[in-house]
Amino acid sequence: MAETALALPGRTSRRVRVTASVTVVVAVALAVLVVPPLAQLDEQAVDLAAKLRPPSLAHPFGTDDVGRDLLLRCVYGLRVSLLVGLVAALTATVVGTATGALAGAFGGWPDRIVMRLVDTLSSVPHLLLGIFIVAMFRPGVWPVIISVALTHWISTARIVRSEVLSLRTRPFIDAAVSGGASRTRVVVRHLLPGVLPQAGLAAVLMVPHAMWHESALSFLGLGLPAHQASLGNLVQSARGSLLAGDWWPTLFPGLFLIIPTLALAGLAGAWRDRINPRRKSELML
């Protein structure tokens, strides 16, 4: 009875976190999908007479240094950053899953070559490698997506390879091989379905990471063009305003970046506990 009473607060807390995370994710999705078509306003419209106005009823988040509505700019910035994060995370997950599954399934020299490549790329900081990649292109969305995808498939490949090596020792794999199944069939029909939950979890965790990566590149002036609204560009352009004592151009873009990140991390944590009940039971002891 005492153990049950101790477990209930933990379950309630997890339920509250998941509910809050789902609410934030749904609100973010509605904001980026519904607000721009309904607003029918140009987020690039300049009004120098209204520059750097604090939050008010007319401008709930205030205005920036050229009089643009900061709420609308934040929504458009979140839209771009989320697009970059989703596409880059999906691309990196596909590349990492395919690479890790093939390395773990075939073993031998293919596995050694792939893992040496992974170790080599892992020795270089992600941001430094990303800067090198985007520097070869003109500023834009696709160079940032390519940069994030090429620097973030490594962790997924490691996870998938480890899971494949674990699955290879299971009795149903031995039964499939004994029944005459080819290596390709074993990979496609048995190994890949077994690693999809882990790959999906890696993709969810990678979305906020990719958003932060894009924001860092844009903040450094190497990501999206300066005129295009993204959360990194908004924070970068607000540095001078912050030094002058105007806090809202920096605060609200930062919150638009932090809050969705925490929500996605909460959903990923719930997903991890669901696909790994053993770890969940150990945490509850």
Side-chain angles (χ1 to χ4, degrees):
M1 183 67 69
E3 293 179 357
T4 303
L6 289 174
L8 285 177
R11 293 177 182 175
T12 303
S13 176
R14 281 192 297 273
R15 189 178 297 112
V16 170
R17 288 199 301 269
V18 171
T19 302
S21 298
V22 170
T23 302
V24 171
V25 170
V26 171
V28 167
L30 290 176
V32 299
L33 292 175
V34 175
V35 171
L38 290 181
Q40 295 295 319
L41 296 174
D42 183 10
E43 50 93 16
Q44 298 284 5
V46 174
D47 183 6
L48 295 178
K51 67 177 184 178
L52 290 177
R53 288 186 177 177
S56 62
L57 291 178
H59 303 285
F61 286 5
T63 60
D64 63 7
D65 56 349
V66 292
R68 293 173 294 193
D69 184 78
L70 198 57
L71 173 58
L72 195 60
R73 295 275 290 171
C74 286
V75 172
Y76 272 92
L78 179 60
R79 193 181 193 183
V80 173
S81 298
L82 195 58
L83 172 65
V84 172
L86 288 172
V87 177
L90 180 60
T91 305
T93 301
V94 171
V95 174
T97 300
T99 305
L102 291 176
F106 285 90
W109 64 266
D111 184 31
R112 289 193 293 271
I113 291 176
V114 170
M115 295 315 297
R116 295 297 78 77
L117 175 62
V118 168
D119 291 339
T120 301
L121 294 177
S122 298
S123 64
V124 182
H126 286 172
L127 185 58
L128 182 61
L129 185 58
I131 291 174
F132 174 77
I133 294 173
V134 297
M136 296 187 295
F137 302 92
R138 300 177 66 179
V141 173
W142 286 108
V144 175
I145 291 176
I146 294 172
S147 168
V148 176
L150 291 181
T151 56
H152 288 73
W153 63 271
I154 301 169
S155 57
T156 303
R158 288 183 181 275
I159 294 171
V160 170
R161 174 183 176 271
S162 176
E163 193 69 16
V164 167
L165 292 177
S166 176
L167 290 173
R168 283 177 56 181
T169 63
R170 304 290 176 85
F172 69 90
I173 298 296
D174 294 335
V177 173
S178 300
S182 64
R183 182 172 294 184
T184 303
R185 182 178 177 83
V186 170
V187 172
V188 174
R189 294 293 300 274
H190 300 287
L191 295 180
L192 279 179
V195 302
L196 286 181
Q198 296 289 347
L201 175 60
V204 173
L205 287 171
M206 203 178 301
V207 171
H209 194 78
M211 293 173 60
W212 280 90
H213 200 88
E214 177 275 323
S215 298
L217 291 174
S218 297
F219 183 82
L220 294 173
L222 297 170
L224 275 64
H227 69 274
Q228 187 170 3
S230 76
L231 297 179
N233 280 341
L234 293 179
V235 174
Q236 196 277 340
S237 63
R239 288 186 303 168
S241 302
L242 182 63
L243 294 176
D246 301 320
W247 49 268
W248 56 92
T250 303
L251 174 65
F252 292 113
L255 291 178
F256 266 62
L257 183 61
I258 293 173
I259 293 176
T261 297
L262 295 177
L264 289 171
L267 290 180
W271 189 347
R272 180 185 57 205
D273 292 340
R274 188 174 183 84
I275 66 176
N276 194 352
R278 179 178 178 182
R279 179 183 182 278
K280 180 180 177 181
S281 63
E282 291 172 352
L283 291 175
M284 292 176 61
L285 291 177

